[in-house]
């Protein structure tokens, strides 16, 4: 069966600055929290960093050509804040602005719309030295940085994304500490949650103050997709708790202008939430054109009281004493993640029913596998990667998006993660999500079957 998409459906690919750019000490760029975190012994599984990554800082023209060959309509990228405001003095680095102007102009000349994320985790280290996202001041500095970007790049950007996955920034960066800056303090994690929410609202306001109300803005969330296998009252309570701390701390303030009062109650041992100031919620609750959804896998949860053996070590969230996360089942990706495309369908439908007038975009979706390079004289460089499992994942999840749309979900685009194999944060270069492979020794780009399949889907506008 073939399922077609609307003619205006947006097909795209995604990357982020620290994962692909490299050139971390060139052209006046300042230090980020990930530069610092990568120097911490044991922080990155293979001891690597993003210092070179895919060298896209110098090779972006080649990557844009590949995106053209794929036929994508949009490219989702991020701006490295430390390239723009590299030092504590707040002075703007013109070389950083000039780089992104060249990149955005090249995309537009190629007929590819730039979807630009203003914060994809690479906080300037000098702000972290002053408390980072646990400090309200960081949100205010973010607003200044965003206004600078709107003034410098306003006519070049199709869609402005304020934040990528604030869940990861707050809970992995400040909660369990497996991401930069590596802090383990749930009180600071909850403060980071609020200050990221505040930064989102201030960022939207800053963009509109320069561009006007016609500015197309969004935020990208990796909402937890918690599933219960046995529908009991206890399991529903556990799922509700997990959803509350992972999802509602962002959805409520951003889209409804309030925090669920239960959040304060269940986190009272970690925080009194005194960092919420008057008018914060009205600032956070800004109209946006769309909500970006990053989806990779689901989590099956149950009430922890059902088992004497706790397996919730994967859970980085506070107030999860009643939540047990079950081991994933079925064919697992190289990340150890399950594959449940039907849960993506359910997530998109649920969000569309809750926020009826809000457009949804799948801003990241992909899978990591253990790729092997093969010879193929028909390919430009004589090489190819046969990644059948990634092709299957791609087919099934794009079909899941189509199914959600068929049932009424207001989905307007899909971005494959990722265009390139890249620096996978605390896992270094061990995990590969790209539909284009990277030989890091030579920086050679190698096509995969998944890229060829994605090109087919885009050309047909159908799966």
């Amino acid at each position: 069966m073939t399922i077609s998409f609307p003619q205006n459906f947006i097909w795209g690919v995604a990357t982020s600055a620290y994962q692909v750019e490299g050139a971390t000490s060139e052209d006046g760029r300042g230090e980020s929290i990930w530069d610092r975190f990568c120097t911490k012994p044991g922080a990155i599984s293979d001891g690597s960093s993003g210092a070179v990554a895919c060298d896209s800082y110098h090779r972006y023209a080649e990557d844009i050509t590949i995106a053209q060959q794929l036929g994508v309509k949009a490219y989702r990228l991020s701006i490295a804040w430390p390239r723009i405001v590299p030092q504590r003095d707040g002075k703007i680095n013109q070389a950083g602005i000039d780089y992104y102007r060249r990149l955005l102009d090249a995309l537009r000349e190629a007929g590819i719309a730039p979807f630009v994320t203003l914060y994809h985790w690479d906080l300037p280290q000098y702000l972290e030295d002053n408390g980072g996202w646990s400090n309200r001041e960081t949100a205010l500095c973010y607003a200044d940085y965003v206004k600078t970007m709107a003034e410098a790049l306003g006519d070049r950007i199709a869609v402005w994304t304020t934040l990528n996955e604030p869940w990861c920034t707050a809970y992995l960066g400040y909660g369990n500490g497996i991401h930069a800056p590596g802090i383990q303090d749930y009180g600071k994690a909850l403060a980071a949650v609020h200050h990221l929410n505040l930064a989102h609202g201030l960022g939207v306001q800053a963009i509109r103050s320069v561009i006007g109300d016609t500015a197309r803005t969004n935020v990208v969330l990796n909402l937890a997709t918690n599933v219960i296998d046995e529908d009991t009252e206890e399991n529903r309570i556990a799922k509700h708790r997990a959803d509350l701390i992972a999802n509602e701390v962002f959805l409520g303030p951003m889209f409804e202008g309030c925090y669920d009062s239960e959040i304060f109650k269940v986190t009272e041992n970690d925080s009194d939430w005194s960092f919420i100031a008057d008018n914060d919620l009205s600032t956070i609750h800004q109209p946006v054109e769309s909500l970006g959804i990053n989806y990779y896998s689901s989590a099956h949860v149950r009430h922890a009281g059902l088992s004497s053996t706790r397996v919730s070590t994967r859970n980085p969230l506070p107030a999860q004493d009643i939540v047990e996360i079950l081991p994933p089942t079925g064919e697992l990706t190289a990340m150890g993640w399950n594959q449940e495309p039907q849960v993506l369908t359910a997530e998109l439908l649920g969000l569309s029913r809750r926020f009826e007038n809000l457009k949804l975009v799948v801003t990241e979706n992909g899978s990591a596998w253990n790729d092997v390079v093969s010879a193929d004289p028909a390919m430009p460089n004589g090489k190819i990667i046969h990644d059948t499992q990634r092709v299957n994942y791609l087919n099934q999840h794009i079909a899941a998006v189509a199914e959600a749309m068929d049932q009424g979900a207001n989905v307007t685009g899909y971005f494959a993660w990722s265009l390139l194999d890249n620096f996978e944060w605390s896992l270094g270069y061990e995990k590969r999500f790209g539909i284009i492979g990277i030989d890091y020794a030579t920086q050679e780009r190698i096509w995969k079957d998944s890229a060829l399949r994605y090109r087919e889907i885009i050309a047909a506008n159908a799966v």
Side-chain angles (χ1 to χ4, degrees):
M1 179 174 123
T2 300
I3 308 170
S4 296
F5 288 81
Q7 286 303 309
N8 61 350
F9 192 79
I10 299 167
W11 296 103
V13 287
T15 62
S16 84
Y18 193 75
Q19 292 179 275
V20 302
E21 280 184 359
T24 56
S25 59
E26 291 187 36
D27 294 338
R29 180 188 178 280
E31 185 185 22
S32 79
I33 56 173
W34 276 95
D35 297 315
R36 180 73 60 87
F37 189 65
C38 289
T39 67
K40 181 180 177 182
I44 310 301
S45 60
D46 62 0
S48 65
S49 75
V52 177
C54 306
D55 194 31
S56 289
Y57 188 80
H58 302 110
R59 299 171 183 263
Y60 67 84
E62 181 180 358
D63 297 335
I64 291 172
T65 297
I66 292 171
Q68 268 188 305
Q69 292 168 345
L70 287 168
V72 298
K73 299 177 183 177
Y75 186 109
R76 180 172 173 251
L77 61 106
S78 74
I79 290 175
W81 189 348
R83 285 202 192 280
I84 306 303
V85 193
Q87 303 297 332
R88 190 183 300 274
D89 59 18
K91 291 182 180 178
I92 304 304
N93 177 31
Q94 188 61 43
I97 289 176
D98 291 345
Y99 165 71
Y100 289 110
R101 281 178 174 164
R102 293 194 300 271
L103 172 58
L104 296 173
D105 286 347
L107 283 167
R108 295 175 71 89
E109 289 168 8
I112 299 172
F115 282 50
V116 175
T117 302
L118 293 158
Y119 184 72
H120 198 128
W121 306 359
D122 45 359
L123 187 72
Q125 180 61 42
Y126 60 82
L127 288 175
E128 182 54 42
D129 293 340
N130 198 37
W133 288 109
S134 68
N135 185 344
R136 183 184 185 87
E137 187 67 24
T138 297
L140 305 180
C141 292
Y142 171 82
D144 292 338
Y145 149 68
V146 171
K147 186 175 182 182
T148 296
M149 291 295 87
E151 291 170 344
L153 307 174
D155 59 345
R156 291 171 165 87
I157 292 175
V159 174
W160 299 80
T161 297
T162 54
L163 307 171
N164 177 79
E165 298 185 358
W167 182 99
C168 292
T169 297
Y171 293 129
L172 302 185
Y174 295 86
N176 67 6
I178 67 169
H179 277 192
I183 292 170
Q184 297 178 335
D185 184 327
Y186 282 117
K188 289 185 176 180
L190 294 170
V193 164
H194 180 69
H195 295 141
L196 286 156
N197 283 334
L198 182 61
H200 162 72
L202 291 170
V204 173
Q205 288 181 335
I207 294 164
R208 289 212 171 100
S209 73
V210 175
I211 299 174
D213 292 342
T214 59
R216 299 172 64 193
T217 57
N218 84 351
V219 64
V220 168
L221 303 179
N222 59 320
L223 299 173
T225 47
N226 297 306
V227 178
I228 53 174
D229 295 328
E230 185 181 357
D231 189 13
T232 68
E233 183 178 359
E234 280 192 327
N235 286 347
R236 288 194 298 271
I237 290 171
K239 172 178 160 49
H240 172 69
R241 173 70 66 83
D243 290 346
L244 198 70
I245 303 304
N247 300 343
E248 295 307 318
V249 290
F250 301 111
L251 289 174
M254 289 182 180
F255 296 98
E256 296 169 332
C258 64
Y259 286 104
D260 187 315
S261 60
E262 190 178 349
I263 292 170
F264 305 137
K265 180 179 179 181
V266 300
T267 60
E268 61 186 0
N269 291 332
D270 295 295
S271 176
D272 62 4
W273 292 78
S274 58
F275 39 75
I276 300 178
D278 292 344
N279 301 318
D280 275 4
L281 287 164
S282 61
T283 298
I284 295 167
H285 185 209
Q286 297 296 316
V288 293
E289 183 192 60
S290 61
L291 168 61
I293 295 297
N294 291 353
Y295 177 85
Y296 293 92
S297 64
S298 65
H300 286 245
V301 301
R302 67 183 177 189
H303 197 281
L306 295 178
S307 172
S308 59
T309 302
R310 301 288 289 276
V311 292
S312 57
T313 55
R314 291 173 61 229
N315 202 328
L317 307 183
Q320 299 297 286
D321 52 298
I322 67 169
V323 181
E324 182 176 2
I325 299 179
L326 303 177
T329 60
E331 183 184 27
L332 306 183
T333 70
M335 294 290 289
W337 296 345
N338 71 358
Q339 300 177 73
E340 282 198 312
Q342 69 272 21
V343 176
L344 174 57
T345 300
E347 178 183 27
L348 296 171
L349 282 169
L351 289 166
S352 276
R353 289 164 182 163
R354 179 172 173 181
F355 306 110
E356 293 182 359
N357 298 318
L358 183 63
K359 295 177 182 177
L360 302 177
V361 182
V362 178
T363 37
E364 288 182 25
N365 178 237
S367 57
W369 301 95
N370 299 318
D371 296 331
V372 177
V373 179
S374 301
D376 186 340
M379 298 304 292
N381 54 5
K383 300 175 183 178
I384 193 168
I385 295 169
H386 297 301
D387 56 341
T388 302
Q389 293 161 309
R390 190 177 286 108
V391 170
N392 292 338
Y393 182 100
L394 185 72
N395 283 332
Q396 292 168 11
H397 285 77
I398 292 177
V401 174
E403 176 64 23
M405 294 172 68
D406 187 57
Q407 295 185 46
N410 187 14
V411 185
T412 61
Y414 175 93
F415 287 73
W417 183 270
S418 170
L419 174 63
L420 306 170
D421 290 340
N422 53 51
F423 179 77
E424 189 50 43
W425 307 110
S426 60
L427 298 176
Y429 296 97
E430 295 177 345
K431 306 301 181 186
R432 292 175 176 261
F433 278 89
I435 58 174
I436 300 292
I438 298 290
D439 180 335
Y440 293 110
T442 65
Q443 290 297 336
E444 186 178 25
R445 274 67 171 146
I446 304 169
W447 281 65
K448 304 182 186 182
D449 284 341
S450 55
L452 298 174
R453 175 58 184 144
Y454 194 39
R455 183 170 68 180
E456 290 176 350
I457 291 171
I458 295 169
N461 202 35
V463 64

